């Protein structure tokens, strides 16, 4: 049986919405983007959302909108996709990693204080695999040390923890609609905020710093535009937004199915000596973006390949990024710098998880993991 690593949930309705845009006059950022932004804000109870081309762009622009640049330090986690730390470098600032919690893989908030220097300006937590970091604690630290919080919520649209929604305590939160994300437009991203000034700045920053977008220039009597600040070309277009609008309507239905699948995985592996997994805490609603198991580092790659040979799509999310060549060379990190992140990175395997995954496929994945790990 072939079990794909990921299948999107794009429906005929989503395709019809895209066709409608393709048959219209306006393909770039316009009314459909605005509609998506409004609906996204409403879903997450934010005042403003700004649609962009990726979560990487969202993180980069959030840093710029908060005035972060050369000489500034941003505290983040090495247990993430490189986009998180790369966005900090794109803004001209320096990523400062701290280690993660063994149970969840999320940034260890007890280690934040000692990483703060006079150059620290931002804490950038990442909600790994969909479970939120301890945002109450992070907010307390940020407030007492006058730091900004920018959330990498690429995995976590549907998440909440201890009564706090994703993004609720932060200046901005950044979302991804990349091809394997919980809702997707192939590529795409969004920044949500309750700060009007930041939202206005982000709208300019996503379009070269221009004072008026194409929709405003075109829809009324011609208006000249100015370039007020230096910006980038990161604007979401109407085609991407059309693909997302109806997926957002169905987001809880898709989440429900992923939750069911994760419960099946957890039930199957909870007594297994060879297989562990990162835990969802009792006060937490995980967005259930990924399900990862942890196996012995010595046999991880062998298990990964054997699962692939059985036709099961697997991945590694993530090897600790401070050990990648660029980060070692640029910042002098080494093995031993962040032992918990390294241990997770050396042990982890991501299993298939998506709403279209059928029960018989889940059973086959479980049986295969059991058999392969028992003999590894
Ligand atoms: C944790 C995390 N942050 C940021 C990103 C970047 O998202 P995008 O591909 O939309 O730039 C990803 C993408 O996979 C991610 O997993």
């Amino acid at each position: 049986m072939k079990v794909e690593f990921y299948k999107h949930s794009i429906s005929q309705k989503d395709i019809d919405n895209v066709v409608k845009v393709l048959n219209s006059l306006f393909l770039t950022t316009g009314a459909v983007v605005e509609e998506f932004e409004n609906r996204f804000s409403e879903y997450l109870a934010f005042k403003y959302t700004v649609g962009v081309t990726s979560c990487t762009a969202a993180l980069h622009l959030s840093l710029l909108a908060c005035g972060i640049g050369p000489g500034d330090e941003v505290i983040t986690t090495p247990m993430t996709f490189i986009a998180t730390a790369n966005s900090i470098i794109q803004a001209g600032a320096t990523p400062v990693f701290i280690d993660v919690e063994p149970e969840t893989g999320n940034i260890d908030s007890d280690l934040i204080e000692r990483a703060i220097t006079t150059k620290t300006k931002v804490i950038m937590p990442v909600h790994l695999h969909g479970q939120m970091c301890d945002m109450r604690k992070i907010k307390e630290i940020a407030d007492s040390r006058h730091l900004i919080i920018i959330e990498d919520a690429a995995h976590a649209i549907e998440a909440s923890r201890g009564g706090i929604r994703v993004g609720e305590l932060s200046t901005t939160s950044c979302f991804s609609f990349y091809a394997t994300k919980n809702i997707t437009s192939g590529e795409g991203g969004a920044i949500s905020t309750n700060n009007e000034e930041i939202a206005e700045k982000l709208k300019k920053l996503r379009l070269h710093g221009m004072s008026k977008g194409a929709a405003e220039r075109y829809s009324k009597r011609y208006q000249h535009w100015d370039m007020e600040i230096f910006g980038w070309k990161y604007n979401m277009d109407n085609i991407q937004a059309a693909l997302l609008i109806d997926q957002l309507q169905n987001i809880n239905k898709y989440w429900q199915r992923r939750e069911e699948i994760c419960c099946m995985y957890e039930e199957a592996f909870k007594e297994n000596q060879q297989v562990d997994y990162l835990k969802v805490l009792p006060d937490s609603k995980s967005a259930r973006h990924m399900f990862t198991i942890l196996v012995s580092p010595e046999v991880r790659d062998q298990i990964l390949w054997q699962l692939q040979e059985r036709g099961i799509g697997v991945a590694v999310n993530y090897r600790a990024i401070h050990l990648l060549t660029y980060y070692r060379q640029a910042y002098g990190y080494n093995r031993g710098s962040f032992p918990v992140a390294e241990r997770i990175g050396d042990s982890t395997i991501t299993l298939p998880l998506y709403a279209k995954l059928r029960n018989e496929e889940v059973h086959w994945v479980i049986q295969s993991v059991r058999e392969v790990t028992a003999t590894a």
Side-chain angles (χ1 to χ4, degrees):
M1 186 189 303
K2 176 115 181 81
V3 185
E4 300 293 350
F5 178 66
Y6 181 81
K7 283 184 185 169
H8 62 69
S9 294
I10 290 170
S11 67
Q12 189 55 47
K13 176 104 191 289
D14 299 322
I15 294 168
D16 293 344
N17 287 342
V18 171
V19 171
K20 228 185 275 172
V21 170
L22 294 177
N23 284 325
S24 77
L25 201 58
F26 213 84
L27 304 186
T28 185
T29 314
V32 189
V33 172
E34 201 177 323
E35 184 184 346
F36 171 70
E37 289 171 339
N38 291 339
R39 287 183 186 223
F40 198 76
S41 293
E42 200 179 313
Y43 171 72
L44 283 170
F46 280 109
K47 285 197 187 137
Y48 312 99
T49 295
V50 178
V52 289
T53 45
S54 69
C55 184
T56 312
L59 293 163
H60 181 197
L61 293 191
S62 291
L63 290 161
L64 298 182
C66 293
I68 305 306
D72 296 332
E73 291 180 354
V74 178
I75 293 177
T76 191
T77 165
M79 181 38 60
T80 182
F81 181 56
I82 46 172
T84 315
N86 286 359
S87 73
I88 298 166
I89 301 171
Q90 285 166 9
T94 303
V96 174
F97 297 124
I98 59 171
D99 213 347
V100 299
E101 303 165 337
E103 267 220 308
T104 66
N106 275 333
I107 196 165
D108 187 340
S109 48
D110 288 338
L111 303 176
I112 293 177
E113 294 260 22
R114 74 183 78 146
I116 296 174
T117 71
T118 51
K119 295 177 179 170
T120 309
K121 296 283 161 50
V122 177
I123 305 171
M124 187 179 277
V126 178
H127 307 309
L128 188 69
H129 305 152
Q131 167 157 246
M132 277 173 66
C133 302
D134 187 348
M135 291 309 300
R136 259 185 229 278
K137 179 93 184 282
I138 292 172
K139 175 72 173 159
E140 244 176 62
I141 298 168
D143 283 351
S144 70
R145 305 297 291 264
H146 308 292
L147 304 176
I148 294 161
I149 309 174
I150 295 173
E151 282 179 46
D152 181 337
H155 297 183
I157 302 178
E158 305 92 332
S160 60
R161 179 168 166 185
I164 308 283
R165 281 186 333 275
V166 71
E168 191 173 335
L169 303 181
S170 304
T171 299
T172 72
S173 44
C174 301
F175 300 90
S176 175
F177 310 124
Y178 172 69
T180 58
K181 291 294 186 281
N182 296 355
I183 60 172
T184 178
S185 47
E187 300 287 350
I191 311 154
S192 294
T193 181
N194 287 321
N195 182 319
E196 186 179 2
E197 203 181 315
I198 296 269
E200 286 307 312
K201 200 161 174 198
L202 287 168
K203 280 194 176 162
K204 291 189 179 114
L205 283 171
R206 76 172 167 183
L207 194 61
H208 287 302
M210 288 167 77
S211 56
K212 289 183 177 58
E216 292 160 285
R217 296 197 308 272
Y218 190 79
S219 57
K220 301 176 195 126
R221 200 164 81 138
Y222 189 86
Q223 298 171 46
H224 291 292
W225 51 268
D226 190 15
M227 178 182 150
E228 296 166 349
I229 50 174
F230 183 82
W232 301 72
K233 185 65 168 69
Y234 285 157
N235 51 314
M236 176 183 274
D237 66 39
N238 275 355
I239 303 169
Q240 291 169 314
L243 206 42
L244 291 166
I245 281 175
D246 206 59
Q247 287 182 73
L248 189 59
Q249 297 280 98
N250 289 305
I251 195 164
N252 285 324
K253 187 175 82 185
Y254 302 145
W255 174 84
Q256 196 71 47
R257 176 59 186 152
R258 294 197 308 277
E259 171 73 8
E260 263 172 33
I261 295 165
C262 288
C263 291
M264 288 162 81
Y265 282 146
E266 284 167 353
E267 184 61 28
F269 301 131
K270 73 174 183 212
E271 309 288 349
N272 192 308
Q273 298 299 310
Q274 274 86 33
V275 183
D276 199 1
Y277 50 85
L278 295 175
K279 304 296 180 307
V280 175
L281 302 172
D283 65 342
S284 174
K285 177 192 172 188
S286 168
R288 297 296 203 179
H289 172 52
M290 285 182 198
F291 188 86
T292 61
I293 54 168
L294 303 170
V295 297
S296 172
E298 297 76 43
V299 290
R300 190 270 304 277
D301 289 355
Q302 184 191 328
I303 292 170
L304 191 72
W305 293 323
Q306 285 182 9
L307 290 171
Q308 271 189 321
E309 278 161 20
R310 287 177 175 230
I312 296 169
V314 282
V316 172
N317 305 96
Y318 302 93
R319 289 188 300 149
I321 62 174
H322 67 279
L323 294 180
L324 300 175
T325 303
Y326 176 84
Y327 281 96
R328 278 181 196 259
Q329 288 178 353
Y331 299 98
Y333 290 121
N334 268 312
R335 194 159 271 282
S337 298
F338 306 107
V340 182
E342 288 165 25
R343 175 85 192 167
I344 294 172
D346 293 344
S347 315
T348 190
I349 298 176
T350 313
L351 300 182
L353 177 64
Y354 43 92
K356 280 191 175 162
L357 196 63
R358 290 176 290 124
N359 280 355
E360 55 268 39
E361 294 173 317
V362 179
H363 294 315
W364 173 237
V365 174
I366 290 170
Q367 185 188 330
S368 295
V369 170
R370 280 190 180 132
E371 288 172 3
V372 166
T373 52
T375 56

